[in-house]
mmCIF file of all heavy atoms in Angstrom:
data_model
loop_
_atom_site.group_PDB
_atom_site.id
_atom_site.type_symbol
_atom_site.label_atom_id
_atom_site.label_comp_id
_atom_site.label_asym_id
_atom_site.label_seq_id
_atom_site.Cartn_x
_atom_site.Cartn_y
_atom_site.Cartn_z
ATOM 1 N N GLY H 112 101.453 -120.199 38.560
ATOM 2 C CA GLY H 112 100.893 -120.218 37.242
ATOM 3 C C GLY H 112 101.682 -121.152 36.306
ATOM 4 O O GLY H 112 101.124 -121.927 35.537
ATOM 5 N N GLU H 113 102.999 -121.075 36.348
ATOM 6 C CA GLU H 113 103.843 -121.947 35.515
ATOM 7 C C GLU H 113 103.643 -123.418 35.953
ATOM 8 O O GLU H 113 103.613 -124.307 35.081
ATOM 9 C CB GLU H 113 105.295 -121.573 35.654
ATOM 10 C CG GLU H 113 105.635 -120.224 35.038
ATOM 11 C CD GLU H 113 107.098 -119.836 35.338
ATOM 12 O OE1 GLU H 113 107.433 -119.583 36.507
ATOM 13 O OE2 GLU H 113 107.900 -119.756 34.403
ATOM 14 N N TYR H 114 103.568 -123.643 37.210
ATOM 15 C CA TYR H 114 103.385 -125.027 37.712
ATOM 16 C C TYR H 114 102.088 -125.614 37.153
ATOM 17 O O TYR H 114 102.070 -126.742 36.646
ATOM 18 C CB TYR H 114 103.365 -125.010 39.237
ATOM 19 C CG TYR H 114 103.245 -126.351 39.911
ATOM 20 C CD1 TYR H 114 104.357 -127.065 40.265
ATOM 21 C CD2 TYR H 114 101.976 -126.899 40.169
ATOM 22 C CE1 TYR H 114 104.264 -128.304 40.895
ATOM 23 C CE2 TYR H 114 101.838 -128.133 40.796
ATOM 24 C CZ TYR H 114 103.017 -128.822 41.143
ATOM 25 O OH TYR H 114 102.885 -130.069 41.782
ATOM 26 N N LEU H 115 101.009 -124.846 37.188
ATOM 27 C CA LEU H 115 99.718 -125.367 36.750
ATOM 28 C C LEU H 115 99.721 -125.495 35.205
ATOM 29 O O LEU H 115 99.165 -126.465 34.704
ATOM 30 C CB LEU H 115 98.608 -124.407 37.192
ATOM 31 C CG LEU H 115 97.204 -124.876 36.890
ATOM 32 C CD1 LEU H 115 96.916 -126.299 37.396
ATOM 33 C CD2 LEU H 115 96.136 -123.903 37.480
ATOM 34 N N GLN H 116 100.355 -124.559 34.503
ATOM 35 C CA GLN H 116 100.390 -124.674 33.071
ATOM 36 C C GLN H 116 101.135 -125.952 32.634
ATOM 37 O O GLN H 116 100.767 -126.596 31.671
ATOM 38 C CB GLN H 116 101.044 -123.460 32.407
ATOM 39 C CG GLN H 116 101.076 -123.427 30.901
ATOM 40 C CD GLN H 116 99.667 -123.323 30.330
ATOM 41 O OE1 GLN H 116 99.128 -122.233 30.206
ATOM 42 N NE2 GLN H 116 99.070 -124.446 29.945
ATOM 43 N N ALA H 117 102.180 -126.329 33.380
ATOM 44 C CA ALA H 117 102.897 -127.563 33.071
ATOM 45 C C ALA H 117 102.043 -128.783 33.313
ATOM 46 O O ALA H 117 102.178 -129.807 32.585
ATOM 47 C CB ALA H 117 104.167 -127.636 33.935
ATOM 48 N N LEU H 118 101.121 -128.718 34.284
ATOM 49 C CA LEU H 118 100.190 -129.829 34.503
ATOM 50 C C LEU H 118 99.112 -129.911 33.412
ATOM 51 O O LEU H 118 98.541 -130.959 33.151
ATOM 52 C CB LEU H 118 99.536 -129.680 35.872
ATOM 53 C CG LEU H 118 100.343 -129.917 37.126
ATOM 54 C CD1 LEU H 118 99.483 -129.685 38.354
ATOM 55 C CD2 LEU H 118 100.912 -131.320 37.135
ATOM 56 N N LEU H 119 98.818 -128.723 32.790
ATOM 57 C CA LEU H 119 97.697 -128.650 31.830
ATOM 58 C C LEU H 119 98.253 -128.080 30.526
ATOM 59 O O LEU H 119 97.836 -127.009 30.093
ATOM 60 C CB LEU H 119 96.610 -127.773 32.365
ATOM 61 C CG LEU H 119 95.979 -128.165 33.706
ATOM 62 C CD1 LEU H 119 95.052 -127.060 34.234
ATOM 63 C CD2 LEU H 119 95.263 -129.463 33.621
ATOM 64 N N PRO H 120 99.167 -128.800 29.842
ATOM 65 C CA PRO H 120 99.811 -128.195 28.651
ATOM 66 C C PRO H 120 98.861 -127.880 27.504
ATOM 67 O O PRO H 120 99.161 -126.992 26.711
ATOM 68 C CB PRO H 120 100.827 -129.280 28.266
ATOM 69 C CG PRO H 120 100.324 -130.555 28.842
ATOM 70 C CD PRO H 120 99.640 -130.159 30.121
ATOM 71 N N GLY H 121 97.748 -128.562 27.414
ATOM 72 C CA GLY H 121 96.812 -128.284 26.317
ATOM 73 C C GLY H 121 95.741 -127.251 26.638
ATOM 74 O O GLY H 121 94.866 -126.962 25.848
ATOM 75 N N VAL H 122 95.883 -126.617 27.830
ATOM 76 C CA VAL H 122 94.878 -125.635 28.258
ATOM 77 C C VAL H 122 95.474 -124.210 28.258
ATOM 78 O O VAL H 122 96.487 -123.989 28.899
ATOM 79 C CB VAL H 122 94.375 -125.956 29.731
ATOM 80 C CG1 VAL H 122 93.314 -124.959 30.137
ATOM 81 C CG2 VAL H 122 93.872 -127.397 29.775
ATOM 82 N N PRO H 123 94.930 -123.324 27.494
ATOM 83 C CA PRO H 123 95.479 -121.948 27.440
ATOM 84 C C PRO H 123 95.067 -121.168 28.687
ATOM 85 O O PRO H 123 94.017 -120.554 28.765
ATOM 86 C CB PRO H 123 94.840 -121.331 26.160
ATOM 87 C CG PRO H 123 93.629 -122.175 25.877
ATOM 88 C CD PRO H 123 93.848 -123.526 26.474
ATOM 89 N N LEU H 124 95.906 -121.218 29.679
ATOM 90 C CA LEU H 124 95.658 -120.569 30.955
ATOM 91 C C LEU H 124 95.939 -119.061 30.928
ATOM 92 O O LEU H 124 96.939 -118.652 30.325
ATOM 93 C CB LEU H 124 96.494 -121.174 32.064
ATOM 94 C CG LEU H 124 96.201 -122.623 32.442
ATOM 95 C CD1 LEU H 124 97.196 -123.110 33.511
ATOM 96 C CD2 LEU H 124 94.786 -122.804 32.932
ATOM 97 N N VAL H 125 95.097 -118.303 31.601
ATOM 98 C CA VAL H 125 95.322 -116.891 31.830
ATOM 99 C C VAL H 125 95.182 -116.676 33.356
ATOM 100 O O VAL H 125 94.082 -116.879 33.878
ATOM 101 C CB VAL H 125 94.318 -116.020 31.040
ATOM 102 C CG1 VAL H 125 94.580 -114.535 31.361
ATOM 103 C CG2 VAL H 125 94.401 -116.308 29.558
ATOM 104 N N ARG H 126 96.263 -116.319 33.978
ATOM 105 C CA ARG H 126 96.241 -116.149 35.445
ATOM 106 C C ARG H 126 95.661 -114.800 35.771
ATOM 107 O O ARG H 126 96.151 -113.745 35.345
ATOM 108 C CB ARG H 126 97.590 -116.324 36.045
ATOM 109 C CG ARG H 126 97.566 -116.495 37.568
ATOM 110 C CD ARG H 126 98.838 -117.222 38.001
ATOM 111 N NE ARG H 126 98.915 -117.315 39.448
ATOM 112 C CZ ARG H 126 98.329 -118.250 40.166
ATOM 113 N NH1 ARG H 126 97.566 -119.123 39.574
ATOM 114 N NH2 ARG H 126 98.457 -118.319 41.479
ATOM 115 N N ALA H 127 94.570 -114.811 36.569
ATOM 116 C CA ALA H 127 93.868 -113.591 36.891
ATOM 117 C C ALA H 127 93.135 -113.738 38.210
ATOM 118 O O ALA H 127 92.929 -114.856 38.671
ATOM 119 C CB ALA H 127 92.858 -113.250 35.786
#
Side-chain angles (χ1 to χ4, degrees):
E113 290 174 296
Y114 182 92
L115 185 53
Q116 184 67 83
L118 289 179
L119 303 171
V122 181
L124 293 178
V125 179
R126 193 157 177 82

